[in-house]
PDB file of all heavy atoms in Angstrom:
ATOM      1  N   PRO A   1      84.866  93.286 107.947  1.00 87.00           N
ATOM      2  CA  PRO A   1      83.443  92.908 107.968  1.00 87.00           C
ATOM      3  C   PRO A   1      82.658  93.662 106.897  1.00 87.00           C
ATOM      4  O   PRO A   1      83.035  94.766 106.492  1.00 87.00           O
ATOM      5  CB  PRO A   1      82.987  93.297 109.382  1.00 87.00           C
ATOM      6  CG  PRO A   1      84.242  93.380 110.183  1.00 87.00           C
ATOM      7  CD  PRO A   1      85.315  93.808 109.243  1.00 87.00           C
ATOM      8  N   PRO A   2      81.568  93.076 106.387  1.00 87.00           N
ATOM      9  CA  PRO A   2      80.753  93.758 105.367  1.00 87.00           C
ATOM     10  C   PRO A   2      80.287  95.124 105.863  1.00 87.00           C
ATOM     11  O   PRO A   2      79.759  95.252 106.970  1.00 87.00           O
ATOM     12  CB  PRO A   2      79.587  92.795 105.141  1.00 87.00           C
ATOM     13  CG  PRO A   2      80.111  91.457 105.563  1.00 87.00           C
ATOM     14  CD  PRO A   2      81.070  91.718 106.681  1.00 87.00           C
ATOM     15  N   GLN A   3      80.494  96.135 105.034  1.00 85.00           N
ATOM     16  CA  GLN A   3      80.146  97.504 105.372  1.00 85.00           C
ATOM     17  C   GLN A   3      78.998  97.979 104.480  1.00 85.00           C
ATOM     18  O   GLN A   3      79.061  97.844 103.257  1.00 85.00           O
ATOM     19  CB  GLN A   3      81.350  98.435 105.184  1.00 85.00           C
ATOM     20  CG  GLN A   3      82.582  98.030 105.995  1.00 85.00           C
ATOM     21  CD  GLN A   3      82.374  98.168 107.478  1.00 85.00           C
ATOM     22  OE1 GLN A   3      81.911  99.215 107.948  1.00 85.00           O
ATOM     23  NE2 GLN A   3      82.713  97.137 108.230  1.00 85.00           N
ATOM     24  N   GLU A   4      77.944  98.516 105.099  1.00 85.00           N
ATOM     25  CA  GLU A   4      76.848  99.118 104.346  1.00 85.00           C
ATOM     26  C   GLU A   4      77.277 100.519 103.917  1.00 85.00           C
ATOM     27  O   GLU A   4      77.490 101.394 104.746  1.00 85.00           O
ATOM     28  CB  GLU A   4      75.585  99.188 105.202  1.00 85.00           C
ATOM     29  CG  GLU A   4      75.016  97.827 105.583  1.00 85.00           C
ATOM     30  CD  GLU A   4      74.410  97.106 104.380  1.00 85.00           C
ATOM     31  OE1 GLU A   4      74.040  97.802 103.406  1.00 85.00           O
ATOM     32  OE2 GLU A   4      74.307  95.878 104.428  1.00 85.00           O
ATOM     33  N   ILE A   5      77.399 100.703 102.606  1.00 84.00           N
ATOM     34  CA  ILE A   5      77.969 101.933 102.064  1.00 84.00           C
ATOM     35  C   ILE A   5      76.972 102.575 101.115  1.00 84.00           C
ATOM     36  O   ILE A   5      76.351 101.898 100.283  1.00 84.00           O
ATOM     37  CB  ILE A   5      79.296 101.636 101.329  1.00 84.00           C
ATOM     38  CG1 ILE A   5      80.316 101.033 102.306  1.00 84.00           C
ATOM     39  CG2 ILE A   5      79.856 102.894 100.689  1.00 84.00           C
ATOM     40  CD1 ILE A   5      81.543 100.494 101.635  1.00 84.00           C
ATOM     41  N   LEU A   6      76.808 103.891 101.225  1.00 84.00           N
ATOM     42  CA  LEU A   6      75.992 104.673 100.301  1.00 84.00           C
ATOM     43  C   LEU A   6      76.917 105.265  99.242  1.00 84.00           C
ATOM     44  O   LEU A   6      77.779 106.092  99.548  1.00 84.00           O
ATOM     45  CB  LEU A   6      75.248 105.788 101.042  1.00 84.00           C
ATOM     46  CG  LEU A   6      74.276 106.631 100.196  1.00 84.00           C
ATOM     47  CD1 LEU A   6      73.139 105.753  99.670  1.00 84.00           C
ATOM     48  CD2 LEU A   6      73.735 107.783 101.007  1.00 84.00           C
ATOM     49  N   THR A   7      76.766 104.821  98.012  1.00 83.00           N
ATOM     50  CA  THR A   7      77.651 105.256  96.939  1.00 83.00           C
ATOM     51  C   THR A   7      77.349 106.690  96.531  1.00 83.00           C
ATOM     52  O   THR A   7      76.406 107.320  97.011  1.00 83.00           O
ATOM     53  CB  THR A   7      77.513 104.322  95.723  1.00 83.00           C
ATOM     54  OG1 THR A   7      76.168 104.400  95.237  1.00 83.00           O
ATOM     55  CG2 THR A   7      77.813 102.895  96.119  1.00 83.00           C
ATOM     56  N   LYS A   8      78.164 107.185  95.616  1.00 83.00           N
ATOM     57  CA  LYS A   8      78.018 108.561  95.159  1.00 83.00           C
ATOM     58  C   LYS A   8      76.688 108.785  94.450  1.00 83.00           C
ATOM     59  O   LYS A   8      76.133 109.892  94.504  1.00 83.00           O
ATOM     60  CB  LYS A   8      79.188 108.913  94.243  1.00 83.00           C
ATOM     61  CG  LYS A   8      79.278 110.377  93.867  1.00 83.00           C
ATOM     62  CD  LYS A   8      80.516 110.629  93.025  1.00 83.00           C
ATOM     63  CE  LYS A   8      80.638 112.102  92.662  1.00 83.00           C
ATOM     64  NZ  LYS A   8      81.852 112.358  91.834  1.00 83.00           N
ATOM     65  N   ASP A   9      76.173 107.750  93.773  1.00 80.00           N
ATOM     66  CA  ASP A   9      74.888 107.873  93.079  1.00 80.00           C
ATOM     67  C   ASP A   9      73.725 107.359  93.928  1.00 80.00           C
ATOM     68  O   ASP A   9      72.720 106.898  93.399  1.00 80.00           O
ATOM     69  CB  ASP A   9      74.931 107.141  91.741  1.00 80.00           C
ATOM     70  CG  ASP A   9      75.467 105.730  91.868  1.00 80.00           C
ATOM     71  OD1 ASP A   9      75.892 105.359  92.981  1.00 80.00           O
ATOM     72  OD2 ASP A   9      75.467 105.002  90.872  1.00 80.00           O
ATOM     73  N   SER A  10      73.888 107.386  95.263  1.00 81.00           N
ATOM     74  CA  SER A  10      72.815 107.093  96.227  1.00 81.00           C
ATOM     75  C   SER A  10      72.289 105.666  96.110  1.00 81.00           C
ATOM     76  O   SER A  10      71.084 105.428  96.125  1.00 81.00           O
ATOM     77  CB  SER A  10      71.659 108.097  96.049  1.00 81.00           C
ATOM     78  OG  SER A  10      72.106 109.419  96.242  1.00 81.00           O
ATOM     79  N   VAL A  11      73.197 104.705  95.994  1.00 82.00           N
ATOM     80  CA  VAL A  11      72.847 103.285  95.991  1.00 82.00           C
ATOM     81  C   VAL A  11      73.508 102.629  97.204  1.00 82.00           C
ATOM     82  O   VAL A  11      74.706 102.805  97.430  1.00 82.00           O
ATOM     83  CB  VAL A  11      73.303 102.588  94.694  1.00 82.00           C
ATOM     84  CG1 VAL A  11      72.976 101.104  94.744  1.00 82.00           C
ATOM     85  CG2 VAL A  11      72.633 103.237  93.482  1.00 82.00           C
ATOM     86  N   THR A  12      72.726 101.901  97.978  1.00 84.00           N
ATOM     87  CA  THR A  12      73.257 101.228  99.161  1.00 84.00           C
ATOM     88  C   THR A  12      73.781  99.849  98.781  1.00 84.00           C
ATOM     89  O   THR A  12      73.039  99.018  98.252  1.00 84.00           O
ATOM     90  CB  THR A  12      72.178 101.094 100.237  1.00 84.00           C
ATOM     91  OG1 THR A  12      71.680 102.396 100.572  1.00 84.00           O
ATOM     92  CG2 THR A  12      72.743 100.444 101.485  1.00 84.00           C
ATOM     93  N   VAL A  13      75.053  99.592  99.049  1.00 86.00           N
ATOM     94  CA  VAL A  13      75.678  98.310  98.752  1.00 86.00           C
ATOM     95  C   VAL A  13      76.409  97.814  99.996  1.00 86.00           C
ATOM     96  O   VAL A  13      76.770  98.603 100.886  1.00 86.00           O
ATOM     97  CB  VAL A  13      76.668  98.408  97.564  1.00 86.00           C
ATOM     98  CG1 VAL A  13      75.941  98.766  96.284  1.00 86.00           C
ATOM     99  CG2 VAL A  13      77.757  99.440  97.850  1.00 86.00           C
ATOM    100  N   SER A  14      76.621  96.518 100.054  1.00 86.00           N
ATOM    101  CA  SER A  14      77.375  95.886 101.140  1.00 86.00           C
ATOM    102  C   SER A  14      78.682  95.351 100.563  1.00 86.00           C
ATOM    103  O   SER A  14      78.663  94.512  99.658  1.00 86.00           O
ATOM    104  CB  SER A  14      76.559  94.751 101.773  1.00 86.00           C
ATOM    105  OG  SER A  14      77.305  94.115 102.800  1.00 86.00           O
ATOM    106  N   VAL A  15      79.800  95.840 101.090  1.00 88.00           N
ATOM    107  CA  VAL A  15      81.115  95.513 100.541  1.00 88.00           C
ATOM    108  C   VAL A  15      82.001  94.996 101.667  1.00 88.00           C
ATOM    109  O   VAL A  15      82.017  95.556 102.767  1.00 88.00           O
ATOM    110  CB  VAL A  15      81.772  96.741  99.880  1.00 88.00           C
ATOM    111  CG1 VAL A  15      83.103  96.363  99.240  1.00 88.00           C
ATOM    112  CG2 VAL A  15      80.841  97.359  98.844  1.00 88.00           C
ATOM    113  N   ASP A  16      82.742  93.911 101.389  1.00 87.00           N
ATOM    114  CA  ASP A  16      83.758  93.435 102.319  1.00 87.00           C
ATOM    115  C   ASP A  16      85.080  93.298 101.583  1.00 87.00           C
ATOM    116  O   ASP A  16      85.125  93.260 100.354  1.00 87.00           O
ATOM    117  CB  ASP A  16      83.360  92.114 102.973  1.00 87.00           C
ATOM    118  CG  ASP A  16      83.061  91.036 101.943  1.00 87.00           C
ATOM    119  OD1 ASP A  16      83.052  91.342 100.750  1.00 87.00           O
ATOM    120  OD2 ASP A  16      82.843  89.878 102.341  1.00 87.00           O
ATOM    121  N   ALA A  17      86.159  93.225 102.359  1.00 90.00           N
ATOM    122  CA  ALA A  17      87.499  93.203 101.771  1.00 90.00           C
ATOM    123  C   ALA A  17      88.420  92.389 102.663  1.00 90.00           C
ATOM    124  O   ALA A  17      88.048  91.967 103.773  1.00 90.00           O
ATOM    125  CB  ALA A  17      88.037  94.628 101.602  1.00 90.00           C
ATOM    126  N   VAL A  18      89.642  92.162 102.171  1.00 92.00           N
ATOM    127  CA  VAL A  18      90.681  91.480 102.943  1.00 92.00           C
ATOM    128  C   VAL A  18      91.944  92.335 102.877  1.00 92.00           C
ATOM    129  O   VAL A  18      92.268  92.898 101.824  1.00 92.00           O
ATOM    130  CB  VAL A  18      90.938  90.054 102.404  1.00 92.00           C
ATOM    131  CG1 VAL A  18      91.371  90.087 100.946  1.00 92.00           C
ATOM    132  CG2 VAL A  18      91.972  89.325 103.249  1.00 92.00           C
ATOM    133  N   VAL A  19      92.629  92.448 104.020  1.00 92.00           N
ATOM    134  CA  VAL A  19      93.808  93.301 104.145  1.00 92.00           C
ATOM    135  C   VAL A  19      94.994  92.452 104.591  1.00 92.00           C
ATOM    136  O   VAL A  19      94.852  91.620 105.503  1.00 92.00           O
ATOM    137  CB  VAL A  19      93.563  94.456 105.142  1.00 92.00           C
ATOM    138  CG1 VAL A  19      94.813  95.316 105.294  1.00 92.00           C
ATOM    139  CG2 VAL A  19      92.383  95.307 104.699  1.00 92.00           C
ATOM    140  N   TYR A  20      96.143  92.668 103.956  1.00 93.00           N
ATOM    141  CA  TYR A  20      97.387  91.994 104.323  1.00 93.00           C
ATOM    142  C   TYR A  20      98.376  93.061 104.818  1.00 93.00           C
ATOM    143  O   TYR A  20      98.642  94.035 104.102  1.00 93.00           O
ATOM    144  CB  TYR A  20      97.986  91.263 103.122  1.00 93.00           C
ATOM    145  CG  TYR A  20      97.093  90.186 102.546  1.00 93.00           C
ATOM    146  CD1 TYR A  20      96.141  90.500 101.583  1.00 93.00           C
ATOM    147  CD2 TYR A  20      97.200  88.869 102.967  1.00 93.00           C
ATOM    148  CE1 TYR A  20      95.317  89.524 101.050  1.00 93.00           C
ATOM    149  CE2 TYR A  20      96.382  87.880 102.437  1.00 93.00           C
ATOM    150  CZ  TYR A  20      95.444  88.216 101.485  1.00 93.00           C
ATOM    151  OH  TYR A  20      94.625  87.254 100.953  1.00 93.00           O
ATOM    152  N   TYR A  21      98.901  92.873 106.017  1.00 92.00           N
ATOM    153  CA  TYR A  21      99.838  93.848 106.573  1.00 92.00           C
ATOM    154  C   TYR A  21     100.857  93.126 107.441  1.00 92.00           C
ATOM    155  O   TYR A  21     100.688  91.957 107.803  1.00 92.00           O
ATOM    156  CB  TYR A  21      99.093  94.912 107.382  1.00 92.00           C
ATOM    157  CG  TYR A  21      98.559  94.405 108.706  1.00 92.00           C
ATOM    158  CD1 TYR A  21      99.284  94.577 109.885  1.00 92.00           C
ATOM    159  CD2 TYR A  21      97.340  93.746 108.792  1.00 92.00           C
ATOM    160  CE1 TYR A  21      98.800  94.110 111.102  1.00 92.00           C
ATOM    161  CE2 TYR A  21      96.856  93.281 109.993  1.00 92.00           C
ATOM    162  CZ  TYR A  21      97.585  93.471 111.138  1.00 92.00           C
ATOM    163  OH  TYR A  21      97.115  92.993 112.335  1.00 92.00           O
ATOM    164  N   ARG A  22     101.909  93.850 107.807  1.00 91.00           N
ATOM    165  CA  ARG A  22     102.941  93.320 108.696  1.00 91.00           C
ATOM    166  C   ARG A  22     103.526  94.470 109.509  1.00 91.00           C
ATOM    167  O   ARG A  22     103.387  95.643 109.144  1.00 91.00           O
ATOM    168  CB  ARG A  22     104.045  92.615 107.907  1.00 91.00           C
ATOM    169  CG  ARG A  22     104.768  93.521 106.926  1.00 91.00           C
ATOM    170  CD  ARG A  22     105.839  92.765 106.159  1.00 91.00           C
ATOM    171  NE  ARG A  22     106.438  93.575 105.118  1.00 91.00           N
ATOM    172  CZ  ARG A  22     107.437  94.429 105.301  1.00 91.00           C
ATOM    173  NH1 ARG A  22     107.958  94.581 106.527  1.00 91.00           N
ATOM    174  NH2 ARG A  22     107.921  95.126 104.297  1.00 91.00           N
ATOM    175  N   VAL A  23     104.167  94.107 110.608  1.00 91.00           N
ATOM    176  CA  VAL A  23     104.831  95.109 111.448  1.00 91.00           C
ATOM    177  C   VAL A  23     106.181  95.438 110.819  1.00 91.00           C
ATOM    178  O   VAL A  23     107.019  94.557 110.613  1.00 91.00           O
ATOM    179  CB  VAL A  23     105.006  94.585 112.881  1.00 91.00           C
ATOM    180  CG1 VAL A  23     105.789  95.594 113.712  1.00 91.00           C
ATOM    181  CG2 VAL A  23     103.654  94.310 113.515  1.00 91.00           C
ATOM    182  N   ASN A  24     106.367  96.702 110.491  1.00 89.00           N
ATOM    183  CA  ASN A  24     107.601  97.143 109.842  1.00 89.00           C
ATOM    184  C   ASN A  24     108.633  97.633 110.851  1.00 89.00           C
ATOM    185  O   ASN A  24     109.834  97.529 110.617  1.00 89.00           O
ATOM    186  CB  ASN A  24     107.270  98.254 108.838  1.00 89.00           C
ATOM    187  CG  ASN A  24     108.437  98.582 107.936  1.00 89.00           C
ATOM    188  OD1 ASN A  24     109.213  97.708 107.578  1.00 89.00           O
ATOM    189  ND2 ASN A  24     108.577  99.846 107.573  1.00 89.00           N
ATOM    190  N   ASN A  25     108.179  98.180 111.967  1.00 89.00           N
ATOM    191  CA  ASN A  25     109.071  98.687 113.014  1.00 89.00           C
ATOM    192  C   ASN A  25     108.489  98.255 114.353  1.00 89.00           C
ATOM    193  O   ASN A  25     107.468  98.787 114.793  1.00 89.00           O
ATOM    194  CB  ASN A  25     109.184 100.213 112.927  1.00 89.00           C
ATOM    195  CG  ASN A  25     110.275 100.766 113.828  1.00 89.00           C
ATOM    196  OD1 ASN A  25     110.420 100.359 114.971  1.00 89.00           O
ATOM    197  ND2 ASN A  25     111.045 101.711 113.298  1.00 89.00           N
ATOM    198  N   ALA A  26     109.130  97.291 114.977  1.00 89.00           N
ATOM    199  CA  ALA A  26     108.587  96.720 116.211  1.00 89.00           C
ATOM    200  C   ALA A  26     108.554  97.738 117.340  1.00 89.00           C
ATOM    201  O   ALA A  26     107.591  97.792 118.118  1.00 89.00           O
ATOM    202  CB  ALA A  26     109.419  95.501 116.622  1.00 89.00           C
TER     203      ALA A  26
END
């Protein structure tokens, strides 16, 4: 989900991402 993040130079941005994963050891 979009995350409200305060960057190192004090700027507020909204960033989202997508993650791909799998179960390696059941």
Side-chain angles (χ1 to χ4, degrees):
Q3 303 293 311
E4 295 290 337
I5 299 170
L6 184 64
T7 62
K8 189 177 181 180
D9 49 355
S10 301
V11 178
T12 302
V13 296
S14 178
V15 183
D16 56 354
V18 59
V19 178
Y20 299 87
Y21 72 95
R22 61 181 174 84
V23 176
N24 191 34
N25 190 317

